[in-house]
Amino acid sequence: QQQVRQSPQSLTVWEGETAILNCSYEDSTFDYFPWYWQFPRESPALLIAIRPVSNKKEDGRFTIFFNKREKKLSLHITDSQPGDSATYFCAASPNTGYQNFYFGKGTSLTVIP
Amino acid sequence: AQTIHQWPVAEIKAVGSPLSLGCTIKGKSSPNLYWYWQATGGTLQQLFYSITVGQVESVVQLNLSASRPKDDQFILSTEKLLLSHSGFYLCAWSRGGGNTGQLYFGEGSKLTVL
């Protein structure tokens, strides 16, 4: 059973537009939600993360919106840049020591100049 | 600063042959260590994690095994490779004891099984 689901599978936006990447999860014990981005032939790197005590986390052009009741979150990338083109993974970890991380299947984002 | 190094960078192996991939973390004592597998264009599947030397927990069975012989070293191995083992293997670490949950990935090892 897929614990973390992402949509869309791929997304194309024009430079300057806002890209919205969606994520949902099953397990209510999840309490840490990092987003990782991965460029071709590179390993994933942490982009931004949120815990359920907040419903919003901002870091520059990247914002996570979190809805605990619906078990959904989304990553908004404002003023998208061609350099933002990458695969974005939503992940989740339960509040039992963070030994297990569950990743979604990823959203491939392409930003057209 | 902490560094994580994986070896080899890439391997081409025959079905049925053995495999050993390694990972070393420098600059961090007693980290939590993880092995992840990623099929080409796919998601990250956690394989193993370890919170201390000699202790490894399996998350999913893929005919692979892992060991942590030293505090800073994590080894992934199998005696017989399958075609389905092809992919990108990523070692990662996180802070142990009071773990914040942040994962730091190594540069990965690309495995092609023919």
Side-chain angles (χ1 to χ4, degrees), chain B residues 54-76:
Chain B
Q55 197 174 320
V56 177
E57 300 295 330
S58 173
V59 176
V60 63
Q61 291 295 325
L62 281 181
N63 294 306
L64 296 167
S65 61
S67 65
R68 184 169 178 178
K70 301 179 190 177
D71 185 52
D72 63 354
Q73 197 172 75
F74 209 17
I75 307 295
L76 183 71

Side-chain angles (χ1 to χ4, degrees), chain B residues 70-107:
Chain B
K70 301 179 190 177
D71 185 52
D72 63 354
Q73 197 172 75
F74 209 17
I75 307 295
L76 183 71
S77 60
T78 182
E79 293 186 2
K80 260 188 182 180
L81 279 165
L82 306 172
L83 283 174
S84 57
H85 285 138
S86 291
F88 197 40
Y89 288 85
L90 290 152
C91 181
W93 71 272
S94 68
R95 201 172 75 190
N99 187 1
T100 62
Q102 184 169 339
L103 281 177
Y104 301 89
F105 287 93
E107 64 269 25

Side-chain angles (χ1 to χ4, degrees), chain A residues 68-83:
Chain A
K68 186 175 181 179
R69 185 177 60 83
E70 294 186 10
K71 295 183 185 174
K72 290 182 179 179
L73 54 160
S74 60
L75 175 68
H76 292 224
I77 306 172
T78 57
D79 188 26
S80 296
Q81 301 297 309

Side-chain angles (χ1 to χ4, degrees), chain B:
Chain B
Q2 299 85 11
T3 60
I4 178 170
H5 174 62
Q6 286 187 241
W7 72 91
V9 172
E11 280 261 53
I12 299 175
K13 303 277 278 185
V15 169
S17 63
L19 173 76
S20 182
L21 302 177
C23 169
T24 299
I25 293 86
K26 295 298 182 189
K28 182 65 189 171
S29 62
S30 304
N32 290 347
L33 298 175
Y34 309 80
W35 277 111
Y36 278 85
W37 173 75
Q38 186 179 32
T40 302
T43 189
L44 294 133
Q45 171 66 61
Q46 187 174 347
L47 302 175
F48 299 95
Y49 71 86
S50 170
I51 61 172
T52 192
V53 174
Q55 197 174 320
V56 177
E57 300 295 330
S58 173
V59 176
V60 63
Q61 291 295 325
L62 281 181
N63 294 306
L64 296 167
S65 61
S67 65
R68 184 169 178 178
K70 301 179 190 177
D71 185 52
D72 63 354
Q73 197 172 75
F74 209 17
I75 307 295
L76 183 71
S77 60
T78 182
E79 293 186 2
K80 260 188 182 180
L81 279 165
L82 306 172
L83 283 174
S84 57
H85 285 138
S86 291
F88 197 40
Y89 288 85
L90 290 152
C91 181
W93 71 272
S94 68
R95 201 172 75 190
N99 187 1
T100 62
Q102 184 169 339
L103 281 177
Y104 301 89
F105 287 93
E107 64 269 25
S109 294
K110 182 174 168 61
L111 174 66
T112 303
V113 182
L114 302 173

